[in-house]
Amino acid sequence: MPAVTAAVIGGGASLLGGLFGGRSAERAARTQADAQMKAAQLAADEARFRPVGITTRFGQSQFQTGPDGRVSGASYTLDPALRAYQDRFMGLAGGGLSQAEQAQQQFAPLQQGAQGLFGLGQQYLAQSPQQAAQQYMAGQQELLAPSREREMAQLQNRLFNTGRGGLSVGATSARPSGAAGLGAASPELEAYYNAIAQQDAQLAAGAQQAGMDQARFGAGLLGTGGNLLTQGYQGQAAALGPYEAYLAQMKQLEALGQQPLELGINIGAKGQSTAGANALLQGGMAAAQTRGAADAYNPFATALTQASQNPAFQRGLGNLFSPYTNAQTAIGQYGAENVYGYGGRGTVPTSIDFSTGFD
């Protein structure tokens, strides 16, 4: 067996001290983790939401909590009088909804009238303003033709009776541009044709205006049809007004009943101590760290480790085990029976047990 030196013994002491220190550190870590978990649980309990049941003139709130103290449900009860008002509004709302369902049929005439105006307006706009002016001119001349014919006949009769039927004056030669000049006529005929020319000029001016008026009239028909259609849609939308008004009243009554629930939630939220929970958590963590550091300290392990590094301690160990070392050397040189007596009946220690430690 090899000789046991002071260095070997010092190394064993250092290893043994590290083992004791590791066990203490393990227990300290577990204790610290448990303490931190406990602090976190206490902080969570401190910050837990705790609603409060409230009763007002309009209703009452209820909160249900489980065995763990957590809120598992919330409800509110509406005051019986408000509930009766709600039921009455509910009946009115049903009637308002039925009225809204009939609105489409009620406003159907407006839609039909709008479609008719659309068709009529398209007919007026089918002609251009020039085409409408020509049609107007032709129509006016058709109206004036009988009276003009009667007037011409009366004029010719007067000229014949006075013996001036063949008289014609006022003729002119061709114009410098080559156009024909004025034709010869009697004063009466000249006046007649001048009057007709003036009428035709006035009709032409009126025809142009009539063409533009027809285009504007057709566009106006389309606009009026669009307004009727819009009024029909607006009427259908407005038919929902009574139903929406009754429904809004029911919502207001429901909001009054919800006030106790909201008040209870707000009071519970204000009762949450976030700052206290944080302080509790931080204080618990600090205490856990302090206790962990204290538990991790093992004076026996520290003493063994420091002593193993002390030269005086190593020399003392060498002196302590020198007989054992000398005996091992002698056995190697002379044999066991020469060292421990006749026949080697003496005993020599072969090992030292370091398995027992200190916690």
Side-chain angles (χ1 to χ4, degrees), residues 30-48 273-291:
R30 291 179 180 176
T31 303
Q32 182 177 1
D34 293 341
Q36 290 177 348
M37 181 64 70
K38 184 65 175 179
Q41 292 176 352
L42 293 175
D45 292 338
E46 182 67 20
R48 181 172 295 174
S273 178
T274 304
N278 292 334
L280 180 60
L281 180 59
Q282 294 175 1
M285 292 297 181
Q289 293 176 358
T290 302
R291 181 175 178 180

Side-chain angles (χ1 to χ4, degrees), residues 168-185:
S168 60
V169 295
T172 60
S173 59
R175 296 179 181 179
S177 62
L182 297 177

Side-chain angles (χ1 to χ4, degrees), residues 1-6 8-9 316-333 339-340 347-354:
M1 180 177 291
V4 179
T5 64
V8 173
I9 298 301
L317 286 178
N319 294 330
L320 177 64
F321 288 97
S322 60
Y324 173 79
T325 304
N326 295 333
Q328 291 289 342
T329 303
I331 290 172
Q333 293 178 355
V339 175
Y340 292 97
T347 58
V348 178
T350 58
S351 64
I352 298 177
D353 187 7
F354 289 99

Side-chain angles (χ1 to χ4, degrees), residues 26 28 50 78 102 144 172 214 254 285 303 338 345 356:
E26 180 184 0
R50 297 181 177 88
L78 194 63
Q102 299 173 0
L144 293 175
T172 60
Q214 178 172 321
E254 195 72 18
M285 292 297 181
N338 294 324
R345 295 185 182 88
T356 58

